[in-house]
Amino acid sequence: MDRVELGAFLRSRRERIGPADVGLPVGPRRRTPGLRREEVAALAFISAEYYTRLEQARGPRPSREVLSGLARALRLTDAERGHLHELAGAPPSAAPGPPREVRQSILDLVHRLPGSAAFVTSATLEVLAWNDLAAALMEDFSALSRRDRNLARRAFLGPRDEGPSLYDEGPSLYGVSDAAAFARHAVRRLRGAAARYPDDPEVSGLIRELRCGSEEFARLWASHEVDAEPTLSKTFRHPLVGPVTVACDALELTDRDQQVVIYTAVPGSSSEQALRLLAVVGTQRMTAPG
């Protein structure tokens, strides 16, 4: 516990909040910038003496309940809340499950990439958001249930018979050239998710389903492989436009435990022409030329 830094941090957060921000009267004789110590204490449901000792670096280690009250009273962001817990020597408890809400700025980014197939995945490889070209290259995710938008489930167990996918060849991820590498990547992502969200029933249920339903997944899971293996490019065998080779870039959204995946083709290549055709065709289900 860093008492000096904890006190300074609490004071800086207190001084930035005005009384009106928390529904308190301003008053004509207020000299303190921001809230008074006793006001923060009241909002956090602790004694004013205890809060004063924390700011003056004289207090004992606060409990998680006290820290939660202070974070609420001081209107801390997620990052500030985490910093508060670190200073107090009590790292915040793990989130109950992988975040699924995608920030609006990321949604805007994905849809502002019309020449690239872009989508967002959760910690368990559920596709959370996508643009039109990603749907045309892979499948119409809007026509799938949340359960069937999971890429790990798709890779190891394949699409269900009633699915609307263009790709009906069984367990395969859209005919990609790096299916084996993606399988290893999926297992590593799920192993990390299991460690970060040990109490989430969806995470444990997905892993249990894959272990029971796929011998390959069970074998890879038993290997305990954790090293990252970057994918620089891959080729989709699309049933309408043929092979599409794309460069792969993945941007980590660490605050949400999500990834933005972007597929781009080399300018002037046949793959770029194929992507342009897919942008026009969209997600129509059509028979590939014989």
Side-chain angles (χ1 to χ4, degrees), residues 56-128:
Q56 294 177 347
R58 298 186 295 110
R61 184 193 303 273
S63 67
R64 291 183 184 276
E65 291 75 15
V66 168
L67 293 172
S68 295
L70 289 171
R72 182 180 61 252
L74 295 170
R75 299 195 168 190
L76 302 186
T77 65
D78 289 344
E80 290 170 337
R81 183 187 300 267
H83 185 58
L84 174 68
H85 277 262
E86 294 292 343
L87 291 176
S93 302
R100 298 187 62 256
E101 182 179 354
V102 181
R103 283 203 310 269
Q104 185 60 49
S105 60
I106 298 301
L107 293 174
D108 293 341
L109 170 65
V110 166
H111 290 292
R112 287 171 181 164
L113 298 172
S116 303
F119 56 98
V120 181
T121 61
S122 71
T124 58
L125 289 169
E126 177 188 346
V127 178
L128 303 174

Side-chain angles (χ1 to χ4, degrees), residues 29 226 272:
R29 297 184 179 181
V226 294
E272 184 189 39

Side-chain angles (χ1 to χ4, degrees), residues 34 39 43 61 69 93 112 119 121 123 139 142 156 162 165 168 180 203 221 230 234 241 247 252 263 266 269-270 272:
E39 291 170 338
L43 291 169
R61 184 193 303 273
S93 302
R112 287 171 181 164
F119 56 98
T121 61
E139 66 182 314
S142 66
F156 288 102
E162 67 271 28
S165 173
D168 294 324
V203 174
W221 186 264
K234 67 174 65 185
V241 300
E252 296 286 346
Y263 296 148
V266 174
S269 66
S270 59
E272 184 189 39

